[in-house]
């Protein structure tokens, strides 16, 4: 019933907007549209829809991050490394070996 009263108010206000005067009969008001460009409910519905969409996006991002970190922490996504690594040559392992040794020396000096 509340929605019907709301529509009736719109009809009344639309009559006043169109004719710039008060309506004389209910029949005059009944001919008007139930939709009003000034309706605040429209703004609320749009805001609520956009906020819901935003909240769902935020929840989806948070869920995705959680799942990714969980899989990473329990070594469940190591197979993806095949897309970012190739078997190194001996010379590349030499560089890593020398760099690793230097890193360990530095770390021991700090401790």
């Amino acid at each position: 019933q509340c929605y019907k009263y709301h529509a009736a108010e719109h009809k009344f206000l639309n009559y006043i907007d169109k004719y710039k005067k008060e309506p004389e009969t209910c029949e005059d008001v009944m001919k008007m549209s139930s939709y009003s460009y000034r309706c605040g409910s429209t703004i609320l519905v749009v805001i609520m829809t956009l906020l819901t969409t935003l909240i769902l996006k935020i929840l989806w991002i948070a869920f995705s991050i959680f799942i990714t970190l969980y899989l990473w922490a329990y070594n469940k996504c190591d197979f993806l490394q095949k897309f970012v690594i190739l078997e190194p040559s001996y010379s590349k392992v030499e560089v890593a070996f020398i760099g690793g040794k230097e890193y360990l020396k530095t770390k021991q000096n700090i401790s």
Side-chain angles (χ1 to χ4, degrees):
Q1 293 300 320
C2 180
Y3 299 128
K4 291 179 181 181
Y5 283 114
H6 190 183
E9 290 170 354
H10 284 188
K11 284 179 174 283
F12 186 85
L13 293 174
N14 284 338
Y15 184 93
I16 293 173
D17 285 343
K18 184 173 182 177
Y19 298 109
K20 308 293 185 226
K21 64 177 186 173
E22 288 185 35
E24 295 178 18
T25 65
C26 284
E27 288 75 23
D28 294 337
V29 174
M30 286 298 293
K31 295 175 190 173
M32 303 307 296
S33 171
S34 295
Y35 296 106
S36 173
Y37 73 92
R38 296 188 298 175
C39 182
S41 300
T42 305
I43 295 170
L44 292 176
V45 169
V46 170
I47 289 171
M48 294 305 292
T49 302
L50 293 175
L51 285 176
T52 301
T53 304
L54 179 65
I55 289 168
L56 290 176
K57 283 182 181 180
I58 291 169
L59 289 174
W60 176 250
I61 290 168
F63 177 74
S64 299
I65 291 170
F66 173 78
I67 292 299
T68 302
L69 291 175
Y70 176 83
L71 292 173
W72 175 73
Y74 290 98
N75 299 322
K76 302 293 185 192
C77 52
D78 288 349
F79 69 94
L80 294 172
Q81 291 180 25
K82 69 181 176 184
F83 298 111
V84 293
I85 63 168
L86 295 172
E87 192 61 33
S89 65
Y90 184 83
S91 63
K92 299 204 177 16
V93 171
E94 255 182 336
V95 171
F97 180 79
I98 293 168
K101 289 272 201 182
E102 289 299 317
Y103 169 74
L104 291 175
K105 282 184 198 174
T106 306
K107 192 174 177 182
Q108 287 176 352
N109 289 338
I110 292 174
S111 301

